[in-house]
Amino acid sequence: MILKLITQISRILVGALFIFSGFVKLVDPIGSEYKFQEYFSESVLNMEFLIPYALLFAIVLIVAEILLGVMILIGYKSKFTVWSLLIITTIFLFLTWYSAYYNKVTDCGCFGDAIKLTPWETFYKNVILIGLIIILLVKVTFIKPLFKGKITKVITFLSLASFLFIVQHVLTHLPLIDFRAYAVGKNLQEGMVYPADGSIPPVHDFMLEGVQQDLAPILLEKEKVMLVIIYNLDKSDANGFPAIKEASEKAIAKGYTVYGVSASFSDDLLVAQEKYNLPFDFLFCDETTLKTMIRANPGVIILNKGTVTQKKNWIDIEDLEL
């Protein structure tokens, strides 16, 4: 009786953790793509040939993670589910140990941008998780389906379809939930204030460098500012530039200060500016910062005295309220 109770508690804890971990990444798969790119980089695993497939890896992991969480809770294919959970957790136990021991990746991204853990905190979390999964593996016969007949199968496949739909929607538009310091409603000046413990503030490396000076302090005091984010011109969607041009012209006509912001070379940006007849100049900002600001390339951020009031992927730019 006690063993059965322990197994069911472990089942609930493991399922809930996998669902939560998968969900916070499901709403922002691009963030997981960036994390995979970091792991595959030369300085970490030195597997740069896998970087082009980082988004695919991210989607497969996210969907598998949250789906396995659902499956263990409803009791669908218990043996397959528990073994899959053990394999995935073991892989990431090694990765988090490697990151922690060699100080390679400061944040594993296991909870996306919702909760930040140090590498060692993540490693010990995975150790505990492995222990819970081993309990499930030993007493897998106690894991029974919650529903009779084919209901658990139907729930599993409906869940899979729902998760894939969410991924497609988020990749087309923007994250459903934004956990970052540049989310709508956040004030960037407040985000630059150092916490009492002296740790790095959530908004750092935010500089909008012009020819002669950093314009960030000036722009953060203005009421109407539109920033067109093109973190990498070579990787940007060229289909978005006509819509960007039209929206920026409307913004300028309504008194907005409009700048493009990119980490690309200035000569390339001048060519793009002329090619698409863009009515704004470009400022430079770190690529990682721009990727953190918005999951779009190109995308638009509207600021009012440093507060983010709107964010749009170029495909939704007609919905901007100017």
Side-chain angles (χ1 to χ4, degrees):
M1 185 67 180
I2 295 178
L3 287 177
K4 190 172 183 179
L5 178 62
I6 292 174
T7 302
Q8 298 307 320
I9 292 174
S10 299
R11 173 184 181 178
I12 293 171
L13 290 175
V14 171
L17 185 62
F18 268 78
I19 289 174
F20 175 74
S21 178
F23 174 77
V24 296
K25 295 194 287 285
L26 183 72
V27 298
D28 183 14
I30 297 296
S32 294
E33 177 193 12
Y34 295 155
K35 187 56 62 177
F36 269 103
Q37 290 174 350
E38 185 178 0
Y39 271 110
F40 293 150
S41 65
E42 182 180 3
S43 61
V44 184
L45 296 177
N46 194 22
M47 302 172 70
E48 293 182 285
F49 64 94
L50 290 177
I51 289 179
Y53 309 102
L55 180 58
L56 176 62
F57 275 97
I59 293 172
V60 170
L61 172 67
I62 292 167
V63 173
E65 192 173 16
I66 191 170
L67 188 63
L68 288 171
V70 171
M71 289 169 65
I72 195 65
L73 288 181
I74 65 175
Y76 181 65
K77 291 189 177 295
S78 301
K79 289 184 179 180
F80 169 80
T81 302
V82 173
W83 274 106
S84 298
L85 290 169
L86 182 62
I87 291 170
I88 288 177
T89 307
T90 301
I91 291 172
F92 280 95
L93 180 69
F94 166 75
L95 287 177
T96 52
W97 170 84
Y98 180 82
S99 297
Y101 187 81
Y102 292 101
N103 195 29
K104 292 289 186 178
V105 179
T106 57
D107 172 29
C108 75
C110 59
F111 293 121
D113 289 297
I115 300 175
K116 299 291 187 180
L117 297 178
T118 67
W120 282 117
E121 288 172 341
T122 307
F123 172 75
Y124 293 128
K125 182 267 294 181
N126 285 334
V127 169
I128 295 172
L129 191 56
I130 287 280
L132 294 174
I133 294 173
I134 289 175
I135 293 174
L136 298 180
L137 187 63
V138 172
K139 296 299 179 181
V140 71
T141 54
F142 290 158
I143 304 175
K144 304 295 183 181
L146 291 183
F147 308 99
K148 296 180 179 180
K150 296 183 178 180
I151 296 179
T152 53
K153 183 177 181 179
V154 171
I155 292 175
T156 298
F157 281 93
L158 285 178
S159 298
L160 175 60
S162 299
F163 300 149
L164 292 176
F165 172 78
I166 292 173
V167 168
Q168 188 275 333
H169 181 273
V170 170
L171 291 177
T172 303
H173 303 281
L174 286 179
L176 293 177
I177 303 174
D178 193 343
F179 296 105
R180 287 158 287 140
Y182 299 89
V184 173
K186 297 283 189 179
N187 183 273
L188 303 190
Q189 292 103 317
E190 293 176 0
M192 293 177 181
V193 177
Y194 277 83
D197 60 4
S199 59
I200 298 175
V203 176
H204 56 278
D205 293 336
F206 180 72
M207 301 179 67
L208 304 177
E209 298 178 22
V211 177
Q212 296 181 332
Q213 62 176 325
D214 174 21
L215 296 182
I218 298 172
L219 294 179
L220 291 179
E221 294 297 329
K222 289 180 174 289
E223 291 187 354
K224 293 183 175 183
V225 176
M226 174 190 283
L227 299 179
V228 178
I229 310 299
I230 307 172
Y231 76 81
N232 186 313
L233 187 60
D234 293 334
K235 298 179 181 179
S236 63
D237 190 337
N239 295 320
F241 286 104
I244 290 291
K245 174 182 179 297
E246 183 178 351
S248 57
E249 287 175 340
K250 290 180 180 179
I252 292 171
K254 293 188 177 184
Y256 280 78
T257 300
V258 181
Y259 279 103
V261 188
S262 179
S264 296
F265 291 111
S266 57
D267 290 345
D268 295 333
L269 294 172
L270 288 174
V271 171
Q273 185 179 22
E274 183 176 349
K275 179 179 179 180
Y276 299 106
N277 196 24
L278 300 176
F280 51 77
D281 294 325
F282 279 92
L283 303 174
F284 177 83
C285 185
D286 177 72
E287 183 171 322
T288 300
T289 301
L290 296 178
K291 288 179 177 179
T292 304
M293 290 172 66
I294 189 169
R295 306 299 201 206
N297 188 33
V300 170
I301 295 178
I302 303 296
L303 300 175
N304 184 342
K305 290 190 174 181
T307 297
V308 180
T309 58
Q310 295 181 76
K311 295 171 72 170
K312 298 292 181 184
N313 196 322
W314 71 265
I315 203 168
D316 299 311
I317 204 166
E318 291 183 357
D319 298 331
L320 272 178
E321 298 178 5
L322 299 174

